[in-house]
């Protein structure tokens, strides 16, 4: 192999389509743009979702749903996760240090999932009605 014989492999390079260069090329006259209309003009185009002035689909359909921006500060913890903790008094800081909730969490709620057999005192943590009953049955309490 010599430097002067190197060339791209076959099929790697292809000629650029030259539009508007006469009828013999097959892309003369309108240059593949069809007749008239916005899409045939230079610089003429529209944004995504534009339907020619007709009310676009995303505006014809009704608005639906809501997602609170405060949800990212809320977290849930299960009874089985509380059972695995080695401490008796649990607050948000203890849960963050244990890695059970993220650092930016502000509100934590205990949900009824799993079993709890040891006494646990919750401070500044909410609980569902079912979880509260199980915590109190195990001898624990919930302090607001």
């Amino acid at each position: 192999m010599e430097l002067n014989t190197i060339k791209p492999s076959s099929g790697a390079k292809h000629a650029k389509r030259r539009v508007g260069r006469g009828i013999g090329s097959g892309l003369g006259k309108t240059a593949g743009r069809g007749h008239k209309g916005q899409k045939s003009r230079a610089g003429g185009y529209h944004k995504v979702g534009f339907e020619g002035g007709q009310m676009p689909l995303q505006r014809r359909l009704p608005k639906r749903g809501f997602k609170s921006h405060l949800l990212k500060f809320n977290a849930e913890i299960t009874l089985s996760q509380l059972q695995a903790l080695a401490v008796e008094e649990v607050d948000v800081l203890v849960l963050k240090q244990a890695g059970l909730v993220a650092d930016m969490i502000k509100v934590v709620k205990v949900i009824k999932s799993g079993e709890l057999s040891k006494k646990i005192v919750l401070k500044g943590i909410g609980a569902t009605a079912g979880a509260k009953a199980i915590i109190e049955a195990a001898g624990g309490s919930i302090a607001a």
Side-chain angles (χ1 to χ4, degrees):
M1 185 171 76
E2 301 293 326
L3 283 176
N4 64 329
T5 61
I6 296 174
K7 61 181 183 178
S9 57
S10 63
K13 302 280 245 176
H14 52 87
K16 190 172 179 231
R17 180 176 292 161
R18 298 183 70 221
V19 298
R21 293 296 181 273
I23 56 173
S25 69
L27 287 167
K29 197 187 168 206
T30 54
R33 287 173 171 260
H35 290 278
K36 297 186 180 176
Q38 189 176 24
K39 289 165 118 175
S40 72
R41 317 277 185 209
Y45 218 64
H46 51 77
K47 60 186 170 190
V48 175
F50 183 69
E51 296 183 21
Q54 172 177 297
M55 188 61 68
L57 184 67
Q58 78 272 16
R59 289 190 59 199
R60 289 199 301 267
L61 298 174
K63 289 182 180 180
R64 190 163 179 275
F66 168 77
K67 188 169 183 181
S68 173
H69 67 281
L70 299 172
L71 283 176
K72 62 185 174 191
F73 300 113
N74 298 352
E76 291 176 347
I77 188 167
T78 63
L79 290 171
S80 51
Q81 287 174 314
L82 284 178
Q83 177 75 25
L85 279 177
V87 292
E88 193 177 297
E89 286 195 2
V90 180
D91 61 358
V92 179
L93 189 63
V94 169
L95 295 175
K96 286 180 182 180
Q97 288 169 344
L100 291 174
V101 296
D103 285 336
M104 66 188 301
I105 296 299
K106 293 178 180 163
V107 179
V108 178
K109 195 169 199 178
V110 180
I111 59 172
K112 182 186 168 185
S113 176
E115 299 295 319
L116 182 71
S117 56
K118 65 179 189 176
K119 178 184 173 188
I120 283 189
V121 178
L122 298 181
K123 292 191 173 177
I125 295 176
T128 63
K132 188 174 182 181
I134 291 175
I135 290 167
E136 288 171 350
S141 64
I142 298 169

